């Protein structure tokens, strides 16, 4: 009887421990979502203006830029790399689009070209892809460390943006109906079904990237490259091509972010996007991705971008100093990395325990067969 009571007590204790572990696991894995809900609740209490449909749509349009950069950054980080050039690529692509919209003059031929908005968008995305391709070739084929290669490109792209504009800003991006190049501001200010176009672009890109990562061999190659590049290569994964591809994707996403930002501001300047590469990395980290590669999702990265955007806009609304905004944002990033370490160390321990138990079971089976 006493043995049965003790056994029942032990079972109850194990059940309580298991439930507590499950709760901690849910909180860790859904931390970006819970953080976003907490931010909305806190700022809604602090300011009556915060919790309104108009404000949420405005904040979401701001998040669109960070979200696009974060998605591109996630692809790179999943392979174990990093892209520090996305902020400068955003600026370069923004001023390139502005230059095209203002017209390209060829004095020798006495000609001027004024491409339509959609031609500008395509050419700008191609430029972003070219910048990403240069990064990818340096990292994948010349074996330059990703940090060094993209840091160098950060300066090159920023310098190119300054050279294209002579340090000035393109302000006339509305176009001329007579030239057929109007409609650029539509990307930044117009709405479809009550949702800003920039946000719709973000979600369309996110859906395509989710399908690519979750439903295609290319997505599995990305995760396997980040998990163990050498093992992936031995199993037939074209690791170098995968690395090249993710940097191209990051460049194209940065170009789209540059287009959206320039459209929202109705101007394109060479200093746009300064430190945005850090914001993109923060969105990925807050979303729970591992900087070592192989772990992360588009959904959580979007949540991370919304956390950063809603936090920054909330601090502006309640009148917090810009200096304190940097302190709060940095603290959130450090805390997110700490939680990542806790989550992944717990997973590693549990996997090691499971492997140990499996090994013990196999040994017992082999002993039983021997006897």
């Amino acid at each position: 009887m006493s043995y049965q009571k003790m056994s029942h007590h032990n079972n109850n204790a194990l059940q309580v421990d298991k439930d507590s572990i499950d709760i901690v696991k849910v909180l860790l894995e859904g931390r970006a979502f819970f953080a976003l809900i907490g931010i909305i609740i806190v700022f809604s209490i602090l300011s009556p203006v915060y919790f309104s449909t108009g404000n949420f749509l405005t904040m979401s349009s701001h998040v669109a830029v960070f979200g696009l950069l974060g998605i591109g950054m996630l692809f790179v980080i999943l392979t174990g790399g990093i892209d520090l050039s996305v902020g400068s690529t955003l600026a370069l692509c923004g001023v390139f689009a502005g230059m095209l919209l203002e017209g390209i003059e060829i004095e020798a031929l006495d000609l001027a070209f004024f491409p339509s908005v959609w031609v500008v968008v395509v050419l700008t995305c191609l430029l972003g892809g070219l910048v990403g391709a240069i990064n990818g070739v340096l990292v994948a084929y010349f074996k330059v460390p990703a940090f060094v290669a993209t840091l160098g490109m950060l300066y090159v792209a920023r310098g190119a943006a300054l050279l294209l504009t002579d340090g000035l800003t393109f302000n006339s991006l509305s176009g001329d109906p007579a030239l057929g190049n109007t409609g650029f501001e539509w990307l930044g200010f117009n709405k479809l079904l009550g949702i800003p176009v920039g946000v719709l672009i973000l979600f369309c890109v996110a859906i395509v990237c989710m399908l690519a990562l979750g439903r295609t061999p290319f997505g599995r190659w990305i995760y396997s490259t980040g998990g163990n590049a050498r093992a992936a290569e031995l199993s037939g994964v074209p690791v170098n091509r995968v690395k090249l591809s993710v940097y191209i994707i990051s460049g194209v996403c940065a170009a789209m972010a540059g287009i959206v930002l320039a459209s929202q501001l109705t101007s394109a300047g060479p200093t746009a996007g300064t430190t945005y590469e850090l914001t993109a990395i923060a969105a990925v980290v807050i979303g729970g991705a591992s900087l070592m590669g192989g772990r992360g999702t588009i959904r959580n990265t979007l949540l991370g971008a919304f956390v950063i955007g809603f936090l920054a806009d909330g601090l502006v609304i309640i009148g917090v100093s810009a200096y304190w905004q940097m302190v709060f944002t940095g603290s959130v990033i450090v805390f997110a990395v700490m939680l990542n370490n806790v989550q992944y160390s717990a997973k590693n321990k549990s996997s090691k325990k499971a492997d140990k138990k499996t090994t013990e079971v196999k040994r017992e089976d082999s002993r039983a067969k021997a006897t």
Side-chain angles (χ1 to χ4, degrees):
M1 186 69 178
S2 61
Y3 174 77
Q4 289 179 349
K5 286 183 179 179
M6 187 179 294
S7 176
H8 181 68
H9 177 72
N10 290 337
N11 289 334
N12 287 338
L14 288 171
Q15 185 64 36
V16 170
D17 290 340
K18 187 178 179 181
D19 291 340
S20 63
I21 291 171
D22 288 341
I23 293 171
V24 172
K25 183 180 178 182
V26 169
L27 290 174
L28 282 173
E29 292 184 351
R31 59 186 175 275
F33 174 75
F34 294 124
L36 181 60
I37 296 299
I39 288 169
I40 292 173
I41 292 172
V42 169
F43 284 113
S44 297
I45 294 171
L46 295 175
S47 173
V49 180
Y50 191 86
F51 196 83
S52 64
T53 303
N55 186 52
F56 282 143
L57 291 175
T58 301
M59 292 191 297
S60 297
S61 64
H62 297 162
V63 171
V65 176
F66 301 143
L68 288 168
L69 292 176
I71 288 172
M73 186 67 73
L74 175 67
F75 274 87
V76 175
I77 287 177
L78 284 175
T79 62
I82 198 80
D83 189 353
L84 299 178
S85 67
V86 292
S88 297
T89 303
L90 177 151
L92 175 61
C93 291
V95 298
F96 179 73
M99 182 184 71
L100 292 177
L101 287 167
E102 289 200 345
I104 302 173
E105 296 183 4
I106 304 176
E107 295 181 359
L109 300 176
D110 196 22
L111 292 174
F113 294 99
F114 293 89
S116 67
V117 169
W118 298 113
V119 172
V120 170
V121 169
V122 171
L123 292 176
T124 303
C125 288
L126 288 175
L127 176 61
L130 175 62
V131 174
I134 295 171
N135 284 331
V137 169
L138 290 173
V139 173
Y141 295 98
F142 288 93
K143 307 304 178 185
V144 179
F147 183 90
V148 176
T150 59
L151 180 63
M153 185 55 68
L154 179 152
Y155 287 105
V156 171
R158 184 71 65 182
L162 289 165
L163 287 170
L164 281 176
T165 61
D166 289 328
L168 303 176
T169 300
F170 291 116
N171 293 314
S172 303
L173 304 184
S174 299
D176 189 341
L179 300 173
N181 62 346
T182 57
F184 186 70
E185 70 278 2
W186 181 83
L187 296 172
F189 290 103
N190 272 31
K191 295 179 181 178
L192 290 176
L193 303 175
I195 302 173
V197 174
V199 177
L200 293 175
I201 292 172
L202 170 63
F203 283 122
C204 288
V205 171
I207 290 170
V208 171
C209 291
M210 278 183 186
L211 294 175
L213 284 177
R215 301 294 180 87
T216 65
F218 177 66
R220 292 190 288 273
W221 290 349
I222 289 174
Y223 281 106
S224 60
T225 299
N228 190 325
R230 180 60 181 161
E233 192 171 16
L234 291 173
S235 62
V237 174
V239 171
N240 287 338
R241 278 190 290 156
V242 169
K243 288 183 178 180
L244 174 62
S245 299
V246 296
Y247 282 98
I248 293 174
I249 291 170
S250 180
V252 172
C253 287
M256 287 190 285
I259 291 169
V260 171
L261 181 62
S263 179
Q264 290 175 353
L265 300 176
T266 62
S267 64
T271 58
T274 304
T275 73
Y276 276 23
E277 57 277 354
L278 303 180
T279 306
I281 294 170
V284 175
V285 170
I286 291 172
S290 171
L291 290 174
M292 302 304 292
R295 292 169 175 170
T297 63
I298 297 291
R299 180 191 61 192
N300 287 341
T301 297
L302 285 181
L303 285 172
F306 273 93
V307 167
I308 293 173
F310 278 30
L311 174 62
D313 285 348
L315 292 171
V316 170
I317 288 172
I318 64 174
V320 174
S321 166
Y323 307 130
W324 278 108
Q325 291 177 34
M326 297 175 68
V327 172
F328 282 122
T329 305
S331 301
V332 168
I333 294 169
V334 172
F335 187 60
V337 173
M338 290 171 61
L339 290 178
N340 280 0
N341 291 336
V342 171
Q343 180 184 357
Y344 293 133
S345 62
K347 281 186 177 181
N348 291 334
K349 286 180 181 179
S350 61
S351 62
K352 286 180 180 179
K353 286 182 180 179
D355 292 340
K356 188 176 180 181
K357 286 182 180 179
T358 304
T359 304
E360 290 176 354
V361 169
K362 287 181 179 179
R363 286 177 179 174
E364 290 178 0
D365 289 342
S366 60
R367 288 173 183 172
K369 288 179 181 179
T371 55

